Amino acid sequence: MNIINWDWDPTIFWITDSFPLKYYGVFFICGLLLGYIIVRRMYINEKKTIKELDNLLIYIILGTILGARLGHCFFYEPDYFFNHPIEILLPIKKVAGSYKFVGFAGLASHGGTIGIFIAVYIYCRRYKTDLLWILDKITFGVPIAAAFIRFGNFMNSEIYGKPTSGSWGVVFQREDLIPRHPTQIYEALVYLFIFGILLVVHKSKIVQNTNGILFGCFLILLFTARFFIEFFKENQVDFENSLPLNMGQFLSIPFIFLGIIIMVWQLNIRNIKLKYARLKNCW
């Protein structure tokens, strides 16, 4: 068996005695920047001003971080954070009677997704922009950013999978000596694959002049993949052990149905427009 023994230090170096620079943070930032570059290219191709995208980026960053943090606190550890509310939005933790900087040790991707929705909705209301058009565009940046975040999770030896007897197993030595599914890598590679699918769909005639189809496709693909990969993951919190599905799976289901609803609705609108155009030409 070619088991990989993983014992990489998640800290690159210490900026100060209490402020570490970690691989997770670097991957997080790089993923956001790369996603921005991809969406920026689309704005340029469609003759949109970059200033509009720069404003949107600020909303998305705030929505992602706040949503992911609040999602973790309320979905996974509500009891703890209701008793320690100061730790929800401050990167600190009480250790031995005093607070220390630890970074945000807990970000939930489903919460981040909800945060992005809310941030984009607020942006569109303020700048009078079509919501589905914006969501179609950022759809290309999200899977890239998500893939980089999962690479960061791998560097942190966190969100790993259940034990496996396969030769692809990874021993996360900072946690235990059991070969496990590297579910962080599974997710990252699937997200990159989804990005490729979205590019193909984007070039097809089915999405021309119809906003929302790409976004619906994205929701279905990403959260269906997330739902099935969760079967290989260890539960993040103890209460999930008594549930038929884990929290990640329960939270993925509404997004899958939302994607189906958006796609069906927009495809029907597209078909109605096409029929109307044909009738108009006949007249």
Side-chain angles (χ1 to χ4, degrees):
M1 295 177 65
N2 298 317
I3 297 296
I4 298 173
N5 290 289
W6 187 254
D7 189 26
W8 200 274
D9 188 344
T11 300
I12 302 174
F13 59 82
W14 291 82
I15 300 174
T16 68
D17 291 340
S18 59
F19 192 89
L21 177 65
K22 295 190 174 183
Y23 286 100
Y24 178 85
V26 172
F27 274 101
F28 194 105
I29 293 171
C30 288
L32 287 176
L33 288 176
L34 185 55
Y36 168 80
I37 291 171
I38 292 170
V39 178
R40 183 177 185 272
R41 183 67 181 175
M42 292 186 158
Y43 264 65
I44 293 173
N45 289 341
E46 298 198 21
K47 305 297 188 296
K48 298 290 184 179
T49 64
I50 300 303
K51 184 178 180 181
E52 293 179 22
L53 179 59
D54 291 341
N55 292 333
L56 176 61
L57 178 64
I58 296 172
Y59 280 76
I60 290 176
I61 290 175
L62 291 175
T64 300
I65 295 174
L66 288 174
R69 183 57 178 168
L70 292 173
H72 173 81
C73 295
F74 297 145
F75 295 152
Y76 291 97
E77 298 183 86
D79 292 340
Y80 175 84
F81 285 103
F82 282 141
N83 292 319
H84 303 82
I86 193 173
E87 296 180 23
I88 294 178
L89 296 179
L90 293 178
I92 59 176
K93 190 175 184 66
K94 199 168 188 177
V95 180
S98 62
Y99 285 102
K100 293 185 177 180
F101 176 87
V102 294
F104 286 121
L107 298 172
S109 57
H110 292 89
T113 303
I114 295 172
I116 291 173
F117 288 166
I118 295 173
V120 172
Y121 175 76
I122 294 172
Y123 171 88
C124 291
R125 286 292 300 271
R126 180 175 180 181
Y127 292 98
K128 305 296 188 294
T129 305
D130 185 89
L131 176 62
L132 289 178
W133 186 91
I134 292 287
L135 290 174
D136 276 351
K137 296 301 172 288
I138 66 172
T139 283
F140 291 95
V142 172
I144 295 297
F148 272 72
I149 290 171
R150 284 297 177 250
F151 287 134
N153 292 137
F154 184 80
M155 299 300 292
N156 268 1
S157 296
E158 62 187 2
I159 314 183
Y160 45 73
K162 296 176 180 178
T164 178
S165 58
S167 59
W168 56 85
V170 175
V171 176
F172 296 97
Q173 295 184 2
R174 292 177 177 269
E175 299 298 322
D176 54 39
L177 299 177
I178 303 172
R180 297 180 176 277
H181 286 281
T183 46
Q184 315 95 323
I185 302 300
Y186 295 172
E187 277 195 67
L189 295 178
V190 168
Y191 293 159
L192 293 176
F193 181 66
I194 289 173
F195 172 74
I197 294 176
L198 292 173
L199 285 178
V200 173
V201 175
H202 175 63
K203 294 178 181 179
S204 68
K205 293 182 179 180
I206 195 172
V207 300
Q208 290 181 1
N209 302 318
T210 308
N211 297 329
I213 295 177
L214 270 172
F215 177 62
C217 180
F218 158 77
L219 289 178
I220 296 169
L221 290 173
L222 189 138
F223 287 102
T224 298
R226 176 70 185 271
F227 181 88
F228 286 105
I229 291 174
E230 289 291 328
F231 283 114
F232 298 95
K233 283 186 183 179
E234 286 285 12
N235 292 331
Q236 296 186 51
V237 288
D238 291 338
F239 75 79
E240 291 179 293
N241 296 329
S242 61
L243 299 176
L245 300 172
N246 66 26
M247 182 59 72
Q249 290 170 312
F250 279 120
L251 293 172
S252 294
I253 292 172
F255 288 109
I256 296 170
F257 280 109
L258 177 61
I260 293 172
I261 291 170
I262 291 173
M263 278 200 71
V264 171
W265 182 270
Q266 292 304 107
L267 284 172
N268 283 337
I269 290 176
R270 178 181 179 273
N271 290 335
I272 291 172
K273 287 180 178 178
L274 288 175
K275 289 179 181 178
Y276 175 76
R278 292 191 189 112
L279 287 174
K280 190 175 181 180
N281 290 333
C282 291
W283 296 342

